[in-house]
Amino acid sequence: MSIYLQLLLASFFWGSNVIVMKLLLQELPFLLLATMRVFLSFLFLGIYMKMKHLSFHYDYHKKALFIGMFAIYLNFFFTFLGMNEVKGIDNAFMNALAPMMTFVFSVLLLKQKGNLREYIAIGLTIFAFLLSIRFQIFDIQIGFWYLFLGMILYMLANVCIQKWQLHNCLTLSFYELFYGFLFLVIHCWIQNQLHFQPLFEISLFHWILFIVISGIGFAYIQVIYMKSIGTIGALKTSFFLSLNPIITYIESLIFLNESFDWLHFIGFVLLGISIYFIKGQKEKGTTLFRNNE
């Protein structure tokens, strides 16, 4: 399966995750939910590695700790804070800004420059996001700023993975999730949210969704994104985050009874065009898509 098809499947899981999390936030404290999601992900990934007889040895634990703190712990903390404040589709649309932030970090950390197609694609994603909030950037809720901060930290970690040329994506993903889980469980305990009784009150259907979409699905997302960063670069990978709102929007209409919005629909069209620009970019001679060291 090509890396682009794998990224499309990852976008499905990520977009669906927003819906599952919004449903479960009605039943579980947000820190407990975030902790359980990461726990299931590194558990399933560990089981898969054990079944495939893959080594758990890793030489870059300090860097994995850094990635786990930013991409998992802090990203989850601020993302779940934001989820409590905004609608599901607005949550997902924040990912439209991912290419812009990846571009900024790529310029600062990788010392690379963009080309015209990249600038056009980035401009389209920013315009799509502004359209989704009706250009009321100074009136948006505090939840958006939490989501924005979480997304920034996730993109920063992804660019650092490319800068440090961290390979062996399965092992790195495992330790990233493991360290992120440790930070989350400590925070959850400090906030007195580490109670297991609410877990027994979740319906069987919601448990199945949680395990498949948020547990196995998020582990798959992490592995594919790390693989993609090594293959096509952090910036090009970040554009596939822009597909997540489309999945979330369709499922929001079905499962959260959110209303149809023409501005969101136009935003989706713009996101699709930006993906077309990036997908059509040739690998050879790209500027920001890959680390050309």
Side-chain angles (χ1 to χ4, degrees):
M1 184 185 297
S2 74
I3 188 63
Y4 296 111
L5 291 178
Q6 294 176 60
L7 283 168
L8 287 174
L9 182 57
S11 292
F12 167 77
F13 278 120
W14 197 302
S16 300
N17 254 311
V18 174
I19 304 301
V20 175
M21 293 302 98
K22 289 290 289 185
L23 290 172
L24 291 177
L25 278 172
Q26 302 172 16
E27 305 179 53
L28 296 176
F30 80 96
L31 270 176
L32 178 60
L33 181 58
T35 303
M36 286 300 301
R37 177 178 169 183
V38 177
F39 171 73
L40 289 175
S41 296
F42 93 79
L43 177 64
F44 286 125
L45 184 56
I47 292 172
Y48 175 80
M49 291 174 63
K50 191 69 175 178
M51 291 174 58
K52 293 294 184 177
H53 305 290
L54 301 175
S55 174
F56 286 85
H57 174 74
Y58 197 64
D59 294 325
Y60 304 102
H61 279 278
K62 289 183 179 179
K63 292 178 179 179
L65 179 67
F66 175 88
I67 299 298
M69 176 182 291
F70 281 80
I72 302 300
Y73 166 56
L74 292 175
N75 167 258
F76 267 57
F77 174 69
F78 288 111
T79 297
F80 276 73
L81 270 180
M83 277 188 182
N84 282 321
E85 304 289 336
V86 302
K87 295 190 299 183
I89 182 56
D90 292 328
N91 182 348
F93 242 111
M94 185 59 65
N95 289 324
L97 296 179
M100 179 193 71
M101 296 313 306
T102 305
F103 171 82
V104 172
F105 290 132
S106 295
V107 170
L108 294 176
L109 300 179
L110 303 180
K111 307 300 182 183
Q112 297 176 346
K113 298 180 180 179
N115 60 38
L116 180 59
R117 291 176 69 94
E118 295 165 359
Y119 288 133
I120 292 175
I122 290 170
L124 287 172
T125 59
I126 295 173
F127 185 77
F129 170 74
L130 293 175
L131 193 64
S132 74
I133 63 172
R134 292 167 169 76
F135 298 93
Q136 298 176 346
I137 191 169
F138 297 108
D139 298 321
I140 59 178
Q141 306 172 47
I142 186 64
F144 276 101
W145 296 112
Y146 289 141
L147 292 170
F148 183 61
L149 181 55
M151 185 268 297
I152 286 177
L153 295 171
Y154 188 79
M155 293 301 105
L156 173 62
N158 280 352
V159 173
C160 286
I161 290 171
Q162 182 174 340
K163 178 178 177 62
W164 294 333
Q165 296 184 338
L166 298 179
H167 304 294
N168 199 344
C169 59
L170 280 177
T171 309
L172 174 58
S173 296
F174 175 81
Y175 285 109
E176 171 197 22
L177 291 166
F178 174 71
Y179 289 130
F181 166 73
L182 292 181
F183 286 121
L184 280 169
V185 77
I186 292 172
H187 194 166
C188 193
W189 176 72
I190 293 174
Q191 292 293 318
N192 197 31
Q193 291 191 20
L194 197 61
H195 301 293
F196 299 103
Q197 181 60 35
L199 299 176
F200 296 102
E201 299 174 0
I202 301 176
S203 68
L204 177 61
F205 176 67
H206 283 177
W207 262 115
I208 293 173
L209 287 177
F210 190 35
I211 291 173
V212 175
I213 301 296
S214 301
I216 299 174
F218 187 69
Y220 175 82
I221 289 169
Q222 294 302 108
V223 171
I224 295 304
Y225 280 171
M226 288 192 183
K227 177 182 177 182
S228 179
I229 289 169
T231 304
I232 62 177
L235 181 63
K236 198 168 186 178
T237 298
S238 72
F239 272 91
F240 280 84
L241 284 172
S242 300
L243 291 177
N244 302 346
I246 300 175
I247 304 297
T248 302
Y249 183 61
I250 295 173
E251 295 183 2
S252 293
L253 295 176
I254 299 173
F255 299 109
L256 300 182
N257 297 318
E258 295 184 3
S259 58
F260 180 82
D261 189 323
W262 276 105
L263 289 181
H264 283 155
F265 178 78
I266 295 172
F268 296 149
V269 174
L270 294 176
L271 293 177
I273 295 173
S274 72
I275 294 293
Y276 173 79
F277 266 88
I278 295 303
K279 178 70 168 57
Q281 178 75 44
K282 295 181 179 179
E283 294 295 332
K284 184 177 180 180
T286 54
T287 54
L288 287 171
F289 294 154
R290 299 193 61 162
N291 190 344
N292 298 319
E293 296 178 355

